[in-house]
Amino acid sequence: MKRKIIVTRPAEKSPVDHSGKCFEILNIPVTRLVINREIDAARIVAFQPTICIFTSSKGAEIFIELFSPGTISENKAVAIGEQTSRALSTLYKEVLVPLEKTSHGVNDLLDGIVTEKDRILLFSSSKTNRVILRHLEERKWSHMAVELYDAEILEVEPVFQELSKSECFGIMVTSSMEANAIFSKRNSKYLTQYHISGKHVFAIGQPTAKTLGELGIEISKPVGKSDIKGLMEEIESLYCI
């Protein structure tokens, strides 16, 4: 029987299936994504962006629902990762993806393409880490930030129930937002080191790893891959015997 790794990806995002050599994924969302219904589409169109930045596949999907082809897609698109890029493929012929699939990687990419004439539109969630936004502000580039969705914290009891089972190998946290939802003491219910005793905690990307470390959670190797499939492949290369 294959052992299970819990993944905390929101149900509203595109599902990711995996059944590898010795592990399979069990997705248990710890946040629920809620679309921002107060987005001012007319203001966005009037801004006439030349570069649009997307920090998640969910944000890309909401964008596609809001804007018909050609409305504001005659510009450069920057996606934080491959899954976000794929979500944009129906509107854009080409989407730029940074080598380092993080907010810092997006900043590095922007440094190489932005000119003084560009108008940059940043699409994100209300729980953004503000790394890209601060970069835009520091560079004094013309920009607009739009929050496409918010996240509500769900109960973490289902996560604990699965973690307590012998067939559960560990948990993969897929964002800093989820890390806080699971382990932050600010929440009325949260998991402690006791709850995850004997289980592995994996982090997608360095920002999530950093947040987990700040919450006092010991992270298992490997760290670095910014997509679930890629990280699962690395996990199996280390732990499948």
Side-chain angles (χ1 to χ4, degrees), residues 4-7 163 167-172 199-202:
K4 295 179 180 179
I5 294 179
I6 297 168
V7 173
L163 277 171
E167 65 266 25
C168 183
F169 187 74
I171 182 171
M172 181 191 296
K199 307 296 182 179
H200 291 269
V201 178
F202 302 103

Side-chain angles (χ1 to χ4, degrees), residues 13 15 31 37 49 58 65 70 85 109 128 140 144 150 164 177 185-186 194 224 236 239 241:
K13 290 190 175 183
T31 58
R37 298 297 179 184
K58 182 60 180 178
E65 291 176 9
S85 175
L109 189 156
T128 175
K140 293 182 170 56
M144 177 190 294
D150 193 6
S164 63
M177 181 168 56
K185 295 180 181 179
R186 294 193 302 269
Y194 167 78
E236 292 200 316
Y239 299 102
I241 300 174

Side-chain angles (χ1 to χ4, degrees), residues 58-112:
K58 182 60 180 178
E61 291 165 6
I62 295 171
F63 169 80
I64 291 169
E65 291 176 9
L66 284 173
F67 299 98
S68 58
T71 307
I72 62 168
S73 60
E74 298 302 320
N75 48 46
K76 294 178 182 176
V78 175
I80 199 166
E82 299 298 343
Q83 190 157 5
T84 305
S85 175
R86 286 193 292 271
L88 292 166
S89 62
T90 58
L91 280 184
Y92 290 95
K93 293 180 180 179
E94 181 181 6
V95 181
L96 303 176
V97 180
L99 292 176
E100 179 189 336
K101 297 171 179 59
T102 66
S103 296
H104 294 289
V106 169
N107 289 344
D108 291 340
L109 189 156
L110 292 174
D111 285 341

Side-chain angles (χ1 to χ4, degrees), residues 36 38-45 67 144 146:
N36 177 10
E38 298 181 357
I39 297 170
D40 189 342
R43 179 169 172 262
I44 293 171
V45 173
F67 299 98
M144 177 190 294
V146 177

